[in-house]
Amino acid sequence: IMHLSSNSLTQKTNGGSLCSVTLPVVRFSDCDGRDRIQYKTSNPADFRIGSDGVVYATKSFDVFAKQTPFVVVAEDLDTHQQWQAVVKLSPRQPFFIRHQPVKVEEIVFPQRQQIGQLKRRKRDWVIPPINVPENSRGSFPQELVRIRSDRDKDRSLRYSVTGPGADQPPTGIFIISPIAGQLSVTKPLDREQISSFHLRAHAVDLNGNQVENPIDIVINVIDMNDNRPEFLHQIWNGTVPEGSKPGTYVMTVTAIDADDPNTENGMLRYKILSQTPYVPSPNMFTINNETGDIITVAAGLDREKVQQYTLIIQATDMEGNPTYGLSNTATAVIRVTDVNDNPPEFTSRTFYADVPENRVNIIVANLTVTDKDQPHTRAWNAVYKIIGGDSTGRFAIPTDPSSNDGLVTVVKPIDYETNRMFVLTVVAENQDQLVKGLVLPPESTATVSIQVIDVNESPSFFPNPKLVRQMEGLPANSMLTTFTAQDPDRYMQQTIRYSKLSDPANWLKIDPANGQITTIAILDRESVYVKDNMYNATFLASDNGVPPASGTGTLQIYLLDINDNVPQVFPQEAEICEKPDPNVINITAIDADIDPNAGPFAFELPYNPPGVRRNWTITRLSGDYAQLSLGIDSLKAGIYEIPITITDSGNPPMSSLSVLRVKVCQCDQNGDCTDVERIVAAGLGTGAIIAILFCIIVLLILVLLFVVWMKRRDKERQAKQLLIDPEDDVRDNILKYDEEGGGEEDQDYDLSQLQQPDTVEPDAIKPVGIRRLDERPIHAEPQYPVRSAAPHPGDIGDFINEGLKAADNDPTAPPYDSLLVFDYEGSGSTAGSLSSLNSSSSGAEQDYDYLNDWGPRFKKLADMYGGGDD
């Protein structure tokens, strides 16, 4: 059963134009409850039908007086059974569709009246939703519906609408005729901006009284396919491992359409337009047309052949309809990632190398492999293992990270006399395991043949060190032992020579040919070179190989003690009080020998001089200690030297007569000496006296240096007083001469003195450090002009100018505005007297303005004589 109903239809009279307008609504109902129904039209170029059964005109065309029929087909997607219905279109005169109020069920509300009865309530009116297509071309305003109330029969009413689109933003989209109630749209609508409008219609009388309850008017904007699909990204990047099976997920591309997703306008379908490159198959990938998931559909992805694929993806709306749908494209870049599907392979089956013996941590060979996997990945990085030929672990093969080569390295010394050649079996693998299920070549192995090179090795002593036990006191020229070395180079005929390398006490010598060691001095255990009874000497063994090699050996001599040292009393100085109460001295003995040639000791006072035994008594406390005490009631204060005979326990025993210096002094009640002055004076040694004298001399030198410094300081103060006070700076004044004589008119000046204007008094007659402020410092002689012995008076001006130039360039000259000072001008000047410069009486007769031309040095004179009355 096919039902045909009309919601809204806008047509023009006499063959009006239709474009993108809503036509009939076709609905299909079946007693079997089918819900998977797809609609089609027989004329898709002019009409299309949505999944909801709404028929649309797809383009502008004329509807003439003759009917325009077309067929609508409903197809069951499960059984593919079809049903058809004919739709006929014919033009009619323009009219307004009047939406009659829908009568709702009468609801009676109980209301109390005066007589206790209920009052019936007036029925209200409603209007169904209005569908308006977007992007309508007009003309505008375009009437949508007419609203009226059944109360307009007995009174005049005014209609109005409120809400967004009417009197609220966006305002003015919908208007209503206040008297006729015609609701119209004033401009095209855009569903992507606003998909529906909710208005309220009002009916009031002329006094503004509400005569009907406001009703809600819903205006739905019907979507048109006016937006193309847009991909979220123009370029999509994905990866897929090489060797992936068909059906492996790669990536998902997504596009969006601004049209209504619940209609065909917003239903997108994806497809792959092209694949680059086309190998090994032009259809390596497929895409889910609804979700955009890209998966593999063919086997043969090999990164070593094709590293990247580029797909052009198209998204089309209208469920992918190529005729009516709008489409857009994007690019999917699929990178084939590497897996370990290629094992490393040696470039050669056999590698050769040689290595000198006894060398470690050196690279003897480079093993090269090739691997087709992506470089510098775990599938490409090689790992080398030695599986045979190195039972002692003398070699290792680390991997060069940049070249992937195997570096055969010696990690333990190799002896040519033991192994002349090594043949290693090496296998190469990757850090990652190979992919399972692949047909791979056999395991890559190689043979490394390493030749050991014989080198001249150093002779070695055995044993090293060598220990010899010897009694001390062995006389010179005694044979001690034989210390020889062996040459490991069994296949070289070489001779070994011996020499002494280290012998701190110079006790030994070695025979260069046979290594026999003899003494050249007596061995002494008590020597400073012996530590813990052990004496060490080092010897050198050298062969005559090319180049020569040598080795060292250490001879350790453990010296056994003999009784060759006498005991000595300790301490050698002591103090005791005049009166014993009690007053004793504890003593012991020191013996350079060790047990059994040392203690216990025997202590005894000698019989001579006889006063020793009369005044002193010695008592043995133990094997190593004895006690010395006064044998009389008192003894005069002073220093006493007491001889004591001490005997050790050696075999034979040795004894010595040691002297103990005892200071006898007056003591206080605590047993401390109080007679300090006598004891100190009596016991002051030579070293103490020298130290005291040295301190006195140093003190005197310091005092003398201080006096000299003070005198020099006074001289500097006097010299500063002779200097010109800075406030009396003479650089802007005419300087005074040290001596002018008895008047300038009476003096004869020698102009030859001007040849050396820097002549000053010899420095020897002036105190050191005293110099006038305007006096030249002592520097190298400047190059001043030299005049002849008898200059012409007319040359004086040129001479002065040349002198000024020289003085300007002289770094030792005073400042430019100071006059040079001459200690003596000489006599007999041929230029005449210069006293007229100071004569005010003749100033009116001469013009001194030319002094301004002589430079800054004559500025002062020009101001004094050349200026007016000032």
Side-chain angles (χ1 to χ4, degrees):
I1 303 174
M2 187 81 70
H3 298 280
L4 179 63
S5 62
S6 175
N7 263 2
S8 62
L9 179 63
T10 303
Q11 299 177 204
K12 291 187 178 180
T13 5
N14 300 326
S17 175
L18 292 177
C19 178
S20 298
V21 299
T22 303
L23 297 177
V25 177
V26 179
R27 292 184 176 87
F28 176 85
S29 62
D30 183 29
C31 298
D32 295 335
R34 294 182 176 89
D35 55 357
R36 289 174 50 81
I37 300 298
Q38 182 179 8
Y39 299 105
K40 299 180 181 178
T41 64
S42 61
N43 190 4
D46 297 332
F47 305 99
R48 64 180 179 86
I49 183 170
S51 60
D52 54 356
V54 178
V55 181
Y56 300 96
T58 60
K59 65 179 180 179
S60 300
F61 61 92
D62 295 329
V63 180
F64 300 97
K66 184 179 179 181
Q67 293 182 344
T68 304
F70 64 93
V71 179
V72 176
V73 179
E75 180 181 359
D76 189 338
L77 296 178
D78 297 328
T79 63
H80 300 288
Q81 185 178 358
Q82 294 183 352
W83 297 267
Q84 296 181 355
V86 177
V87 179
K88 297 180 180 181
L89 296 179
S90 60
R92 291 192 302 178
Q93 293 295 328
F95 66 93
F96 298 101
I97 298 178
R98 181 176 180 180
H99 289 253
Q100 298 295 335
V102 179
K103 303 296 184 180
V104 298
E105 183 180 356
E106 184 176 353
I107 301 175
V108 179
F109 294 92
Q111 296 183 359
R112 187 176 299 274
Q113 295 183 346
Q114 294 180 357
I115 60 177
Q117 295 181 353
L118 297 177
K119 180 181 179 181
R120 181 184 296 271
R121 186 178 180 185
K122 184 69 176 178
R123 293 175 297 176
D124 292 335
W125 52 276
V126 297
I127 191 168
I130 302 171
N131 295 327
V132 179
E134 66 173 334
N135 303 324
S136 176
R137 296 184 179 180
S139 60
F140 296 101
Q142 178 182 347
E143 183 180 354
L144 301 179
V145 69
R146 183 175 182 182
I147 302 171
R148 63 178 299 272
S149 172
D150 56 359
R151 296 184 179 182
D152 61 354
K153 297 178 181 180
D154 55 354
R155 69 184 72 180
S156 296
L157 301 181
R158 296 295 183 265
Y159 300 97
S160 64
V161 291
T162 60
D167 61 342
Q168 299 178 16
T171 60
I173 297 180
F174 299 97
I175 60 175
I176 189 170
S177 174
I179 298 176
Q182 295 175 352
L183 179 63
S184 304
V185 60
T186 61
K187 60 182 179 180
L189 303 181
D190 188 355
R191 191 205 66 85
E192 286 70 42
Q193 294 183 357
I194 301 177
S195 60
S196 65
F197 295 88
H198 297 268
L199 305 178
R200 303 199 77 180
H202 305 270
V204 297
D205 59 15
L206 296 178
N207 295 325
N209 299 319
Q210 179 177 310
V211 298
E212 296 282 2
N213 292 331
I215 61 171
D216 292 330
I217 300 177
V218 178
I219 301 176
N220 295 325
V221 182
I222 303 303
D223 184 43
M224 305 297 291
N225 190 19
D226 57 346
N227 291 279
R228 289 182 178 273
E230 296 291 339
F231 283 91
L232 297 180
H233 305 285
Q234 193 60 34
I235 297 179
W236 297 78
N237 294 295
T239 59
V240 59
E242 63 174 331
S244 296
K245 297 180 180 179
T248 302
Y249 171 79
V250 180
M251 61 190 299
T252 299
V253 297
T254 303
I256 58 175
D257 196 316
D259 292 325
D260 188 357
N262 298 320
T263 65
E264 291 181 341
N265 299 332
M267 295 181 181
L268 306 182
R269 296 297 182 263
Y270 301 92
K271 66 182 296 185
I272 298 176
L273 297 181
S274 65
Q275 169 191 307
T276 305
Y278 301 101
V279 293
S281 170
N283 298 312
M284 296 295 296
F285 304 92
T286 186
I287 187 170
N288 187 310
N289 63 347
E290 293 184 0
T291 63
D293 295 340
I294 299 177
I295 60 175
T296 60
V297 293
L301 290 174
D302 190 351
R303 190 204 65 84
E304 287 72 38
K305 295 180 179 178
V306 179
Q307 299 183 359
Q308 181 175 291
Y309 289 91
T310 302
L311 308 180
I312 304 300
I313 310 297
Q314 183 186 59
T316 306
D317 57 16
M318 298 297 296
E319 295 184 310
N321 190 315
T323 304
Y324 310 117
L326 303 177
S327 62
N328 212 336
T329 61
T331 302
V333 179
I334 301 175
R335 184 171 55 89
V336 182
T337 59
D338 187 37
V339 298
N340 192 15
D341 56 346
N342 295 281
E345 298 181 7
F346 285 99
T347 59
S348 176
R349 305 301 301 175
T350 305
F351 296 88
Y352 298 94
D354 52 52
V355 56
E357 64 174 332
N358 301 322
R359 296 287 301 276
V360 294
N361 298 327
I362 62 171
I363 300 174
V364 299
N366 281 27
L367 309 183
T368 56
V369 295
T370 58
D371 196 318
K372 298 178 181 179
D373 292 320
Q374 185 174 357
H376 304 292
T377 61
R378 294 181 60 85
W380 179 80
N381 296 335
V383 178
Y384 300 88
K385 297 180 181 179
I386 301 175
I387 60 176
D390 185 25
S391 59
T392 57
R394 299 184 181 277
F395 298 92
I397 309 179
T399 304
D400 187 340
S402 59
S403 64
N404 212 27
D405 293 346
L407 309 178
V408 182
T409 307
V410 181
V411 295
K412 293 182 180 179
I414 302 174
D415 188 7
Y416 173 82
E417 286 70 28
T418 304
N419 300 98
R420 298 187 182 184
M421 177 178 288
F422 290 88
V423 179
L424 309 180
T425 302
V426 181
V427 61
E429 302 174 347
N430 290 124
Q431 291 181 345
D432 284 346
Q433 296 294 327
L434 290 173
V435 177
K436 297 180 180 180
L438 298 178
V439 179
L440 301 174
E443 188 178 50
S444 181
T445 59
T447 300
V448 183
S449 179
I450 302 176
Q451 183 75 30
V452 183
I453 302 175
D454 189 17
V455 298
N456 186 22
E457 300 177 77
S458 301
S460 58
F461 287 89
F462 185 81
N464 189 16
K466 182 177 182 179
L467 179 63
V468 176
R469 299 175 65 89
Q470 177 63 46
M471 194 75 70
E472 70 169 327
L474 184 66
N477 299 321
S478 299
M479 192 276 184
L480 181 62
T481 185
T482 300
F483 196 21
T484 58
Q486 301 294 327
D487 193 344
D489 299 315
R490 292 177 296 175
Y491 302 99
M492 298 181 182
Q493 301 298 327
Q494 298 180 148
T495 302
I496 299 178
R497 303 288 293 178
Y498 301 95
S499 61
K500 185 172 63 174
L501 187 62
S502 173
D503 183 12
N506 198 24
W507 287 345
L508 309 173
K509 68 176 180 179
I510 187 170
D511 189 289
N514 55 24
Q516 189 177 58
I517 299 176
T518 57
T519 61
I520 57 177
I522 298 176
L523 304 183
D524 185 7
R525 191 197 66 83
E526 290 75 29
S527 172
V528 295
Y529 302 105
V530 178
K531 305 297 181 183
D532 298 329
N533 302 329
M534 192 74 69
Y535 180 77
N536 294 324
T538 305
F539 297 92
L540 184 69
S542 304
D543 60 22
N544 59 348
V546 179
S550 60
T552 60
T554 300
L555 178 65
Q556 295 180 335
I557 305 174
Y558 187 86
L559 295 175
L560 303 176
D561 186 41
I562 62 174
N563 194 14
D564 57 346
N565 293 279
V566 297
Q568 299 290 331
V569 67
F570 183 82
Q572 296 182 354
E573 294 183 356
E575 292 182 354
I576 195 172
C577 297
E578 292 179 337
K579 295 181 179 181
D581 190 21
N583 204 353
V584 296
I585 300 173
N586 293 327
I587 61 174
T588 185
I590 298 176
D591 196 330
D593 296 323
I594 59 176
D595 292 336
N597 297 317
F601 300 100
F603 300 90
E604 185 180 2
L605 295 175
Y607 291 95
N608 289 317
V612 174
R613 282 180 170 267
R614 183 176 63 251
N615 297 335
W616 303 92
T617 301
I618 191 167
T619 303
R620 183 176 180 180
L621 298 178
S622 64
D624 295 331
Y625 293 92
Q627 199 172 69
L628 181 66
S629 60
L630 286 174
I632 57 177
D633 294 339
S634 63
L635 189 63
K636 185 178 180 181
I639 297 178
Y640 298 86
E641 294 184 354
I642 303 172
I644 301 175
T645 302
I646 305 175
T647 304
D648 61 20
S649 299
N651 185 19
M654 298 191 69
S655 61
S656 65
L657 186 63
S658 298
V659 176
L660 176 63
R661 298 179 76 246
V662 178
K663 299 177 182 178
V664 179
C665 58
Q666 295 180 359
C667 298
D668 55 13
Q669 58 183 1
N670 296 325
D672 298 328
C673 287
T674 58
D675 194 5
V676 180
E677 295 182 358
R678 282 190 291 172
I679 295 176
V680 172
L684 195 61
T686 304
I689 296 174
I690 294 175
I692 293 173
L693 292 177
F694 179 76
C695 293
I696 294 173
I697 292 173
V698 171
L699 183 59
L700 292 175
I701 292 174
L702 292 176
V703 172
L704 180 60
L705 292 176
F706 179 75
V707 172
V708 172
W709 178 77
M710 290 297 294
K711 289 184 176 181
R712 184 170 183 177
R713 186 178 178 184
D714 292 341
K715 290 182 178 180
E716 291 179 355
R717 289 179 178 177
Q718 294 176 4
K720 289 181 180 179
Q721 294 177 358
L722 296 177
L723 297 176
I724 297 176
D725 192 345
E727 296 180 357
D728 300 332
D729 192 355
V730 298
R731 288 180 293 178
D732 294 335
N733 301 287
I734 298 178
L735 300 179
K736 298 180 181 180
Y737 297 96
D738 291 342
E739 181 181 359
E740 295 185 354
E744 296 180 4
E745 297 291 339
D746 302 328
Q747 298 294 330
D748 293 331
Y749 294 97
D750 186 6
L751 289 181
S752 62
Q753 296 295 329
L754 295 176
Q755 297 175 4
Q756 295 180 349
D758 58 344
T759 303
V760 296
E761 293 180 357
D763 292 337
I765 65 175
K766 294 185 178 181
V768 178
I770 300 177
R771 184 176 299 276
R772 289 170 46 163
L773 292 178
D774 57 347
E775 183 177 334
R776 287 182 46 141
I778 300 176
H779 290 285
E781 290 294 333
Q783 299 298 323
Y784 286 96
V786 180
R787 297 187 63 212
S788 60
H792 189 274
D795 297 336
I796 186 64
D798 296 335
F799 171 75
I800 292 177
N801 289 330
E802 293 176 0
L804 289 175
K805 293 181 181 178
D808 290 338
N809 298 323
D810 185 7
T812 63
Y816 69 89
D817 55 348
S818 298
L819 297 178
L820 298 178
V821 178
F822 300 93
D823 288 342
Y824 180 67
E825 293 184 348
S827 60
S829 174
T830 59
S833 175
L834 297 177
S835 60
S836 60
L837 294 175
N838 295 324
S839 175
S840 60
S841 59
S842 59
E845 301 174 358
Q846 297 185 12
D847 184 8
Y848 296 99
D849 291 337
Y850 61 87
L851 294 176
N852 292 319
D853 300 332
W854 286 16
R857 295 182 181 274
F858 291 91
K859 188 176 183 304
K860 188 66 177 178
L861 292 177
D863 293 341
M864 294 175 59
Y865 295 95
D869 297 338
D870 293 340

